[in-house]
Amino acid sequence: MPTCAGMTVVVLRPDGVTPATNTAVVLGEIGADTDNAGRVTFSDLRLGAYTVTATSRTLSESRSVGRTNTTLLVPGPASNVVVRLAGVGR
């Protein structure tokens, strides 16, 4: 039986609708950049709890961060995890 799971993180700009491109996403100790749809997919993750942190790399929004917690309970692909950037000065 597989003991690994996958997770797709969808990062949205502060309006909660627009995909956040040029954004770094850190999941535990691994990281990746979002694609043009504001998504990044992680695979081969151990089951358990994770903190997901997204940080805009856009120069004028370098302090725009979003964070959420999620838990992978079953092996295989998981539902999307949505992280909304807080915006600058929020």
Side-chain angles (χ1 to χ4, degrees):
M1 177 178 222
T3 58
C4 293
M7 177 188 311
T8 297
V9 178
V10 179
V11 184
L12 301 175
R13 295 182 50 79
D15 65 11
V17 176
T18 308
T21 60
N22 196 26
T23 300
V25 178
V26 177
L27 177 69
E29 296 181 8
I30 57 174
D33 292 335
T34 56
D35 62 14
N36 289 336
R39 295 175 177 266
V40 61
T41 299
F42 296 96
S43 58
D44 297 325
L45 300 171
R46 291 180 181 248
L47 300 180
Y50 289 89
T51 298
V52 183
T53 304
T55 305
S56 176
R57 291 184 181 220
T58 301
L59 188 58
S60 63
E61 299 176 354
S62 63
R63 294 187 181 155
S64 186
V65 176
R67 183 172 290 128
T68 192
N69 296 312
T70 189
T71 303
L72 296 173
L73 298 174
V74 294
S79 300
N80 292 343
V81 174
V82 178
V83 178
R84 183 175 163 195
L85 295 175
V88 178
R90 294 188 182 159

